[in-house]
């Protein structure tokens, strides 16, 4: 087995063991920015390949607050729900632009209470873990995949992104229709 094949097999083993924290595993107290960065790095660094110094920074988090992706901290402390949002954002930004993530978060969290948001976050964690743990579909010859300039894994990721973009567009349209219907009901009353 070549050195690169062994390196890839070690990566696959890390992905098989990867676990995202559920809300009960996150700290019960508010965290300051440097603590948030430490928690995010601890949980998400196994997903990083190559450079790790720009994985997540305080400037990025501040920008996410300014852009409305997460709520501002209270007394400079971030709570569990904000950390959950940051975990989702950090994972999604590997594939999606921040504007797409904002739309996805708006669509996914519309009209959800705290428990529903927690359940949605847990579902997200489970889906990501399943995608990383599961054997690939269709089956991929990883040694052959390492030799190809563009392979099955790349094609699957592009295909899944295309499907998800369509789902986001449909959900956005559904929300707009619901808002329009609600507004029309108010006008009639």
């Amino acid at each position: 087995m070549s050195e690169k094949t062994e390196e890839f097999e070690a990566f696959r083993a890390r992905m098989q063991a990867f676990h995202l924290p559920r809300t009960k595993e996150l700290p019960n107290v508010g965290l300051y920015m440097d603590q948030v960065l430490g928690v995010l790095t601890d949980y998400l660094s196994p997903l990083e390949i190559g450079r790790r110094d720009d994985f997540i920074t305080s400037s990025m988090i501040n920008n996410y607050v300014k852009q409305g992706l997460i709520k501002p901290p209270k007394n400079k402390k971030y709570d569990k729900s904000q950390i959950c949002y940051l975990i989702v954002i950090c994972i999604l930004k590997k594939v999606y632009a921040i504007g797409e993530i904002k739309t996805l978060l708006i669509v996914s969290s519309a009209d959800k209470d705290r428990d529903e948001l927690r359940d949605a976050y847990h579902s997200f964690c489970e889906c990501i873990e399943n995608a990383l743990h599961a054997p690939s579909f269709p089956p991929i010859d990883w040694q052959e995949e390492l030799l190809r300039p563009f392979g099955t894994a790349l094609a699957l990721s592009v295909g899944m992104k295309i499907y998800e973009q369509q789902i986001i567009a449909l959900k956005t349209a559904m929300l707009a229709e619901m808002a329009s219907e609600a507004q029309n009901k108010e006008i009639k009353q």
Side-chain angles (χ1 to χ4, degrees), residues 35-89:
Q35 295 169 312
V36 170
L37 292 171
V39 165
L40 293 174
T41 300
D42 288 347
Y43 283 118
L44 300 176
S45 62
L47 299 178
E48 282 305 296
I49 298 168
R51 287 183 44 194
R52 292 180 184 209
D53 56 340
D54 63 351
F55 173 69
I56 185 71
T57 65
S58 58
S59 296
M60 289 176 188
I61 293 174
N62 289 332
N63 284 333
Y64 301 153
V65 170
K66 287 178 190 173
Q67 294 174 26
L69 275 80
I70 64 169
K71 293 179 182 174
K74 291 181 185 170
N75 299 320
K76 298 185 179 186
K77 291 184 178 181
Y78 293 83
D79 63 23
K80 281 185 180 192
S81 68
Q82 292 159 310
I83 294 170
C84 291
Y85 272 99
L86 286 168
I87 288 170
V88 171
I89 292 165

Side-chain angles (χ1 to χ4, degrees), residues 136-149:
S136 57
F137 180 80
I140 296 175
D141 178 341
W142 290 108
Q143 287 192 5
E144 184 180 323
E145 188 79 2
L146 289 170
L147 301 175
R148 290 182 182 175

Side-chain angles (χ1 to χ4, degrees), residues 94-133:
K94 296 179 108 3
V95 179
Y96 294 99
I98 292 298
E100 293 173 311
I101 294 171
K102 183 175 182 178
T103 301
L104 181 59
L105 291 176
I106 290 169
V107 167
S108 299
S109 63
D111 300 327
K112 288 191 171 49
D113 65 26
R114 186 176 172 174
D115 290 338
E116 290 171 321
L117 287 172
R118 182 201 60 232
D119 292 345
Y121 170 74
H122 290 179
S123 175
F124 172 84
C125 291
E126 188 177 314
C127 288
I128 293 296
E129 290 169 354
N130 288 342
L132 294 172
H133 297 172

Side-chain angles (χ1 to χ4, degrees), residues 7-22:
E7 186 178 317
F8 188 75
E9 289 302 321
F11 169 78
R12 286 184 63 205
R14 285 193 313 274
M15 293 304 98
Q16 289 285 328
F18 183 73
H19 171 75
L20 283 168
R22 302 318 192 257

